[in-house]
Amino acid sequence: MGNNMTFGNMTHNGTQLFLVEKNGNSIVREIPFHPPFRAMHQDMPIFLGIQIFIFICIIFAAVLLFVALKEYRFFSKWNGRYKKYKSTQDKIDDELGRD
């Protein structure tokens, strides 16, 4: 079995490789064959998926930054108004407390 075995005959779709005896009569074993990654995707750049992922991450980060800045502005204005309200309330309490 050792020397009289040969690799042979790729199938039409290129996904099987057969181990055949030298006389060609019997198939001993079918071996799955996977072509290299570049051969399957020659028309598409290899890192296109990574580039799209990075682009989506940058857009998502920009949106989150925009929302965070708007929230910061809202709460800083709210904090200023609350301090003004609290000081006015303290003044009123002091005036009412003296009488």
Side-chain angles (χ1 to χ4, degrees):
M1 226 198 215
N3 287 340
N4 61 354
M5 297 288 180
T6 60
F7 287 104
N9 302 344
M10 294 279 256
T11 60
H12 296 294
N13 60 7
T15 58
Q16 295 273 324
L17 189 62
F18 296 106
L19 188 61
V20 182
E21 289 187 13
K22 272 197 176 185
N23 62 9
N25 291 335
S26 60
I27 296 174
V28 176
R29 191 169 145 203
E30 292 183 14
I31 302 170
F33 177 74
H34 303 288
F37 182 73
R38 288 185 182 178
M40 291 189 307
H41 304 287
Q42 286 178 352
D43 57 335
M44 191 170 87
I46 294 173
F47 297 111
L48 182 63
I50 294 172
Q51 290 172 350
I52 291 171
F53 177 74
I54 290 172
F55 179 74
I56 290 171
C57 286
I58 290 171
I59 297 297
F60 185 67
V63 167
L64 286 180
L65 182 63
F66 177 74
V67 169
L69 288 174
K70 288 197 64 96
E71 291 292 317
Y72 175 78
R73 287 181 57 210
F74 170 77
F75 282 113
S76 64
K77 287 179 183 178
W78 183 87
N79 193 26
R81 286 183 284 186
Y82 181 75
K83 284 181 182 179
K84 187 177 178 181
Y85 161 78
K86 198 66 173 156
S87 67
T88 305
Q89 185 182 22
D90 290 342
K91 285 180 187 177
I92 292 172
D93 286 343
D94 286 343
E95 288 179 11
L96 291 176
R98 289 183 192 175
D99 291 340

